Amino acid sequence: MISRAERSANYVILVLFAAFALAPIGTVLAAALGPDDAPGSGSGSAASIAGLHVGNFATAWHVGHFGTYLRMSLLVSVFVVTVSVILSILSGYALGTMRFRGSTLLFYAFLLGIMMPSEAIVVPLYFDLRTLGLTDTFWAVALPQVAQSVAFGTFWMRAYFRTSSRALVEAARMDGASTRTILWRVLVPIAWPAVVTLIVLTFMWTWNEFLVPLVMVTAESLRTAPLGLAFFQGQYTQGFTLLAAGAVIVATPVALLYLFLQRKFIAGMLEGAVRE
């Protein structure tokens, strides 16, 4: 039984850590809602509500072309998440429940994909994609991130399927269920928290990816949101307000996705999808 003093101490520690984590976010948000501090700009140039300059977001959106960048990031993220999660479920199921020649070696190859940093492969990958004529295209941004996400996703789902109920699978087989039916109608529904966790992590990593789009594309219409924010920073090096507004715009989709799926995400983490 936890005493009142211990419970109070726990809450104090949690509040301190929460304040430490939220302080940078609050600072950026406060700067985004403050008066424009760029030289030569007037404080009344943006619309304000109760002293909050919400018009800074409209100005940053228009000047920084964030509509184009967010659309590109959304397309890339949805494609990467959809393809990589489906492939991760299939490969994780195969490596987690089946035994076949070369399965261990294949799994170690996936682990190598997790351990290999993007910085080590981005240059040869660029020349490979250029040879195929894929540079400066949507596929040059999306396909490398699919490969990176599948490596982790396979490890994640394999660990979950290895600890799934054998009795449940055997009961489904005795009822005449095929391998496909067992996977999609028996195992995936009960693995949904782990799948949601994988979706959120993959979306966050894809949305925040900077190096691959920077190297692979040059056209402005193919820039992702983080890359567009970096170019926007080059235009506004003397003022922080519009930069902060642009940063809030770029970070908002990830924050909304996490808030929407946080229960499933936390459940997947607490259930221990990775139990090995």
Side-chain angles (χ1 to χ4, degrees):
M1 187 68 178
I2 300 178
S3 65
R4 180 176 298 180
E6 290 175 334
R7 185 180 294 107
S8 300
N10 290 336
Y11 281 121
V12 169
I13 294 174
L14 290 175
V15 169
L16 290 176
F17 274 101
F20 179 77
L22 294 176
I25 300 176
T27 301
V28 173
L29 187 59
L33 293 172
D36 192 354
D37 59 354
S41 64
S43 59
S45 59
S48 62
I49 300 177
L52 302 178
H53 295 72
V54 295
N56 292 333
F57 296 103
T59 302
W61 179 279
H62 175 71
V63 176
H65 307 289
F66 283 105
T68 301
Y69 304 147
L70 290 176
R71 182 170 60 251
M72 180 63 180
S73 284
L74 183 61
L75 291 175
V76 172
S77 298
V78 170
F79 177 82
V80 172
V81 168
T82 302
V83 175
S84 61
V85 168
I86 292 176
L87 293 179
S88 297
I89 291 174
L90 295 174
S91 58
Y93 177 66
L95 294 173
T97 63
M98 304 176 185
R99 294 294 176 268
F100 52 89
R101 180 177 299 178
S103 60
T104 302
L105 182 61
L106 183 61
F107 175 65
Y108 287 150
F110 279 107
L111 291 182
L112 183 62
I114 298 176
M115 296 182 289
M116 188 70 66
S118 301
E119 293 80 1
I121 62 174
V122 67
V123 173
L125 182 61
Y126 170 80
F127 286 105
D128 290 340
L129 292 178
R130 190 180 69 173
T131 302
L132 296 174
L134 294 179
T135 52
D136 214 21
T137 66
F138 170 86
W139 306 109
V141 179
L143 292 181
Q145 297 185 74
V146 169
Q148 292 175 329
S149 300
V150 168
F152 171 79
T154 298
F155 170 74
W156 182 263
M157 296 309 303
R158 172 186 177 270
Y160 186 88
F161 287 132
R162 280 175 64 89
T163 58
S164 59
S165 174
R166 298 294 94 192
L168 188 62
V169 174
E170 292 301 326
R173 291 190 186 279
M174 292 180 64
D175 289 338
S178 63
T179 301
R180 180 182 302 176
T181 302
I182 293 174
L183 172 60
W184 295 110
R185 296 191 179 183
V186 177
L187 294 179
V188 170
I190 63 176
W192 188 240
V195 174
V196 171
T197 302
L198 179 61
I199 290 173
V200 174
L201 290 175
T202 304
F203 185 89
M204 291 173 58
W205 294 336
T206 305
W207 187 273
N208 293 326
E209 178 61 38
F210 178 80
L211 181 61
V212 171
L214 176 65
V215 174
M216 298 299 174
V217 299
T218 56
E220 182 178 358
S221 60
L222 295 174
R223 293 175 184 169
T224 57
L227 185 59
L229 181 62
F231 279 90
F232 184 62
Q233 180 182 6
Q235 301 175 15
Y236 290 90
T237 55
Q238 296 180 330
F240 182 68
T241 300
L242 291 183
L243 286 178
V248 172
I249 292 173
V250 172
T252 297
V254 176
L256 292 177
L257 179 70
Y258 177 76
L259 290 176
F260 182 72
L261 298 176
Q262 62 174 327
R263 291 183 179 272
K264 294 291 185 180
F265 178 82
I266 295 174
M269 298 295 289
L270 294 180
E271 286 181 8
V274 180
R275 305 177 188 177
E276 292 183 325

